Amino acid sequence: MSDDEMDLTAPELAPDDFLIVDDPHFTTDNVAIVTGAASGIGRATAVGLAANGLTVIGADIDKDGLEATGDRIESFDVDGTYHGVETDLTDDNDVEAVVAAAADEGTLRFVANIAGMQHIASIAEFPMDKYDLLLDIMLRSPFKMAQAAIPHIEATDDGVGAIANMSSVHGHYATKDKPAYITAKHGITGLTRAIAAEGRGTLRGLSVSVGYVLTPLMVDQIEDTAKERDISKREVIEDVMLGQARTKEMMSPAEVANLFTFGFSGHAKHLNGGDLLFDGGYTHTYE
């Protein structure tokens, strides 16, 4: 297959993709906010949590994408419910509004901060407006979301809940040409630990770190990296992205969504301030 014929389309979600967990807090009375719910990992996580019976509030600036996520959930005939809320995560008022909307739907217990972006450039050439936007979406917004959501979780009858942050292998180590992304992901580790430190053992903070996931964002990143390094898309995938990995395939969005489901469940009650590292061997093996 030539480079131009490579299939770089994110996989379609199917009902059998999702982990279903028996958990007393996974009911429609309890609410989970998922940012970035219009596509990729965010969409998969919204579907997965709704499949587990939760009421899900999807937050994203992409209104059409939010509606498409709702259509997918409806087509699966799941036990939970879903409401998309058009949200500019760089606007504090919007973040507070989506948290208030979630609290109006039931008992807010869970937040999945997944929304993200990428820009490929060296530190010397990185546009500061892109840096500011990326950090606003991927680090400042999760902080603001936690600030707004924590009082609601603490006010529940048992104080049980969790805020889960999307990290990455790039929250564990650095590669070139992704300086803002790496800065944000290292910062999200600190936020996760700060949430855990203040959560009194029942309101947990956790993060999820994975390698490369075949999402629309990743498709764009493959193309950008190919241009930046003047190599083919196949070389980006096989040499740059999967070259260090021991598991020689990208994760699917649903596989990542299942980590959020597990992390929110009572089975993960001792996961507090820690990271679910499912990276195919990127971080702890090297040659």
Side-chain angles (χ1 to χ4, degrees), residues 234-245:
R234 178 176 294 281
E235 287 173 310
V236 172
I237 294 169
E238 294 181 354
D239 299 333
V240 178
M241 292 183 170
L242 297 181
Q244 184 176 320

Side-chain angles (χ1 to χ4, degrees), residues 115-121 126 130-131 133-135 137-138 168 170 175-185 212 215-222 224-225 241:
M117 62 172 289
Q118 182 62 276
H119 186 81
I120 306 297
F126 209 95
K130 291 289 187 182
Y131 178 92
L133 177 60
L134 193 151
L135 268 291
I137 292 172
M138 294 173 59
S168 165
H170 288 100
T175 57
K176 68 177 186 178
D177 296 333
K178 299 178 184 177
Y181 189 88
I182 289 162
T183 299
K185 293 308 186 184
Y212 292 94
T215 64
L217 176 67
M218 184 54 57
V219 171
D220 292 341
Q221 184 178 332
I222 291 167
D224 289 346
T225 302
M241 292 183 170

Side-chain angles (χ1 to χ4, degrees), residues 82-156:
Y82 167 84
H83 307 278
V85 179
E86 186 177 357
T87 307
D88 180 354
L89 293 170
T90 68
D91 186 324
D92 288 353
N93 292 328
D94 267 23
V95 173
E96 291 176 352
V98 76
V99 171
D104 286 343
E105 293 295 332
T107 302
L108 177 58
R109 290 189 184 273
F110 306 111
V111 177
N113 287 309
I114 296 174
M117 62 172 289
Q118 182 62 276
H119 186 81
I120 306 297
S122 67
I123 294 173
E125 298 177 349
F126 209 95
M128 287 307 299
D129 61 336
K130 291 289 187 182
Y131 178 92
D132 291 338
L133 177 60
L134 193 151
L135 268 291
D136 279 349
I137 292 172
M138 294 173 59
L139 191 55
R140 191 181 192 281
S141 170
F143 184 97
K144 183 62 183 177
M145 187 69 71
Q147 185 181 72
I150 282 173
H152 292 281
I153 300 172
E154 289 180 333
T156 60

Side-chain angles (χ1 to χ4, degrees), residues 166-175 178 181-182 185-186 208-212 241 244 275-284:
M166 187 77 246
S167 189
S168 165
V169 292
H170 288 100
H172 294 262
Y173 64 75
T175 57
K178 299 178 184 177
Y181 189 88
I182 289 162
K185 293 308 186 184
H186 277 70
V208 173
S209 292
V210 297
Y212 292 94
M241 292 183 170
Q244 184 176 320
D275 180 63
L276 283 171
L277 177 63
F278 278 58
D279 68 349
Y282 280 98
T283 305
H284 297 303

Side-chain angles (χ1 to χ4, degrees), residues 18-20 43-53 73 257-258 261:
F18 295 100
L19 173 70
I20 304 300
R43 172 177 290 174
T45 302
V47 175
L49 295 177
N52 275 274
I73 290 171
N258 290 337
T261 296

